[in-house]
Amino acid sequence: MTTALITHPDCYDHVTPPGHPEQVARLDAVLGALEGMELQRVKAPLGAEDDILRCHPQGHINGVRAAAPDEGWRSLDADTHMSPGSLAAAFRGVGGIVRAVDMVMAGDAGNAFVAMRPPGHHAEHETAMGFCFFGNVAIGAKYALDHHGLDRVAIVDFDVHHGNGTQDLVEEDPRILFCSTHQSPLYPGTGAAHETGVGNVLNVPLPGGTGSKAFREVMERVVLPRIDAFSPQLLLISAGFDAHEADPLAGMNLTTADFGWVTERLCDLADEHCKGRVVSSLEGGYDLEALGAAAAAHVTVLKERAT
């Protein structure tokens, strides 16, 4: 089997204001870095409202739809903006994660990487924020549980920013384990270690300046054992690459090699517990060169492990 690369040209039509870090060029950086790889390339379908409703109320969907402008931009908050193409891109993000789950669960792909924008892990139950409109990875987890009859799904988020939206959407569902490493203090100001949900949330805040050694130690000592004990049947990754030392929006000092290493370790657990089933979805990463290199390191491992 191969790794599925799921994306869609509609993501280029989500255009943010000039100077915004979550820019169209991010997708070019990722897809350009993956261009020479032998991957199963799949176009993301539009997401179904029924799938979004697993995490967000109808009022939130209606609000995002109503906010989409006919021209120019509309700002939902100081960071989160919509252009005329943003709504379709957001729906493609949901459709992409659902298609990835279906492909991996059916054995049509060994694992999958969903290269979509806008990202999703900051979108809360009724609030679009932090560049995000819908909680794609949380939606994928609940879809896998409800549609594929699973009992346990784990989400690992190594974006430099805490996935407050994902936590908000899953923290009352004991079928889902959510593990997050993130810089603290930093936007959005959540993700303290005492935030544990119903015992299904593991937050590991890390100080600015954290580098390879400390990151790998905390993964080995805290995060990976927790996933191992949970024994998931599917592993989802919120793959943010903004903990890279070159990233302009944060202050952690991970290297490109660290993203390959953590992917290897997560694939080890997936091999042990869930037949290698991994679905990864792009979140942050704002230095274009570092983003492309880190995404390539991540997907290279997925490709090698897609057996």
Side-chain angles (χ1 to χ4, degrees):
M1 286 188 287
T2 60
T3 293
L5 172 62
I6 299 177
T7 189
H8 197 279
D10 280 358
C11 292
Y12 287 105
D13 295 330
H14 170 53
V15 181
T16 52
H20 196 282
E22 207 296 281
Q23 57 183 300
V24 168
R26 295 183 65 238
L27 192 60
D28 278 329
V30 170
L31 296 181
L34 305 181
E35 188 171 354
M37 293 190 192
E38 292 185 13
L39 303 166
Q40 185 178 357
R41 288 169 165 79
V42 178
K43 285 188 176 179
L46 288 168
E49 279 201 8
D50 285 349
D51 291 327
I52 300 174
L53 288 168
R54 298 176 195 277
C55 286
H56 301 283
Q58 187 68 54
H60 176 71
I61 300 173
N62 294 345
V64 171
R65 181 177 281 117
D70 293 327
E71 59 183 18
W73 291 281
R74 182 165 293 162
S75 299
L76 280 63
D77 64 19
D79 301 309
T80 311
H81 312 279
M82 295 190 77
S83 69
S86 299
L87 185 65
F91 270 80
R92 295 281 181 194
V94 173
I97 196 80
V98 169
R99 175 62 58 85
V101 168
D102 281 342
M103 291 184 70
V104 170
M105 291 303 302
D108 295 329
N111 49 46
F113 180 59
V114 185
M116 304 289 283
R117 53 177 296 278
H121 75 151
H122 291 310
E124 296 184 343
H125 188 62
E126 298 184 75
T127 306
M129 60 181 287
F131 316 159
C132 305
F133 302 101
F134 302 125
N136 299 334
V137 169
I139 291 168
K142 295 212 173 192
Y143 175 82
L145 290 160
D146 297 341
H147 186 78
H148 289 282
L150 302 185
D151 299 312
R152 297 176 309 283
V153 174
I155 299 171
V156 180
D157 186 335
F158 51 69
D159 191 282
V160 80
H161 303 96
H162 178 242
N164 61 297
T166 304
Q167 178 172 307
D168 181 56
L169 298 173
V170 308
E171 64 185 349
E172 296 182 359
D173 192 336
R175 303 174 299 169
I176 302 173
L177 172 67
F178 175 61
C179 300
S180 175
T181 58
H182 47 272
Q183 182 179 329
S184 180
L186 191 67
Y187 180 91
T190 53
H194 65 76
E195 298 171 22
T196 58
V198 291
N200 65 325
V201 172
L202 174 66
N203 282 311
V204 186
L206 300 169
T210 295
S212 300
K213 182 179 179 183
F215 173 75
R216 295 188 186 204
E217 284 179 352
V218 80
M219 290 297 299
E220 292 276 17
R221 179 173 51 85
V222 181
V223 178
L224 298 174
R226 183 65 175 274
I227 301 168
D228 188 36
F230 185 69
S231 188
Q233 296 158 302
L234 175 68
L235 179 62
L236 301 180
I237 300 174
S238 270
F241 301 108
D242 41 6
H244 196 285
E245 60 189 355
D247 200 90
L249 296 194
M252 284 179 63
N253 290 320
L254 301 193
T255 66
T256 299
D258 291 318
F259 294 104
W261 174 86
V262 72
T263 308
E264 284 274 12
R265 298 298 288 114
L266 292 171
C267 285
D268 288 342
L269 287 174
D271 285 347
E272 183 173 350
H273 294 291
C274 43
K275 301 178 182 177
R277 295 186 295 228
V278 174
V279 171
S280 176
S281 186
L282 177 67
E283 300 285 2
Y286 304 100
D287 179 273
L288 298 180
E289 184 176 351
L291 171 61
H298 178 62
V299 176
T300 294
V301 174
L302 291 179
K303 180 178 177 293
E304 291 170 349
R305 302 297 290 267
T307 57

